[in-house]
Each structure stands twice: as structure tokens, then as C-alpha cells.
Amino acid sequence: MFYEDRVTSAAGLGKRLAVLDQDSGVRLMGTYAGRRALVFVTRFGRRYTIMAYSVGKGGFPGRRLGTMEVDGVEMAEGALKKLLRGPPRAWIY
């Protein structure tokens, strides 16, 4: 069964990032270098991987625009704030 939970606040996103399982992730709508982007976040231990993709046809991920790895939830939240405009539009899967 496929399950997603929508998150619409920065505080809610931070809480969900802190308890993110290794087999789950976060999908967000954001911007990267001034372009609309789909941003994906995964976690392994304390390390978070953040990947930004261009928005392709039908809203699917297109070309990868960038990748970064950060240690700890605080650094992940800081990196995501730079990619978001306004309140987050995020889904936990």
C-alpha cells in the first residue's frame, strides 16, 4: 500500500524530518537556481541527502539539478529553507 502525508508548515516539516525512517522520504515543491524544482529528501543515520530535479512533463522529475548531503536535522532544515518559497508544500512517503 502506498501512503503519503501532506505537510504545510515549516514546524511540521522539521518534526517529520527528525523522525524520518530510512525507507521513507520527503517530496517538496521548491526552487533551485531560480527554476521550479521537485526536491527529494532521504535519510540514512544522521545524514540527509537532498536532491533537486527540474519539473518535467506531467509534473514528473526531469533532469537532476543538484545534490547535497548534510549532517543533522538542523542543517537539513536550513538547506531546505533556501529551496522553498513561502510555506512548504511537502509530502512524506
Side-chain angles (χ1 to χ4, degrees), residues 30-37 39 52-53 65-68 82-83 85:
T31 60
Y32 185 89
R35 297 177 63 181
R36 275 184 53 216
V39 179
Y53 292 84
L65 301 172
T67 302
M68 75 173 71
K82 295 176 185 176
L83 299 174
R85 300 286 181 254

Side-chain angles (χ1 to χ4, degrees), residues 6-86:
R6 187 168 183 189
V7 178
T8 57
S9 72
L13 180 58
K15 288 177 185 177
R16 297 301 295 267
L17 285 172
V19 298
L20 196 65
D21 290 335
Q22 292 181 10
D23 62 346
S24 60
V26 180
R27 183 180 76 244
L28 305 109
M29 293 300 299
T31 60
Y32 185 89
R35 297 177 63 181
R36 275 184 53 216
L38 284 169
V39 179
F40 295 89
V41 182
T42 58
R43 176 181 175 191
F44 185 76
R46 285 190 40 81
R47 180 155 282 210
Y48 291 82
T49 302
I50 302 168
M51 298 170 287
Y53 292 84
S54 64
V55 179
K57 291 183 179 183
F60 292 100
R63 185 175 62 89
R64 186 182 309 175
L65 301 172
T67 302
M68 75 173 71
E69 291 187 352
V70 296
D71 288 323
V73 68
E74 295 85 13
M75 290 183 74
E77 286 178 289
L80 289 175
K81 283 181 184 177
K82 295 176 185 176
L83 299 174
L84 297 175
R85 300 286 181 254

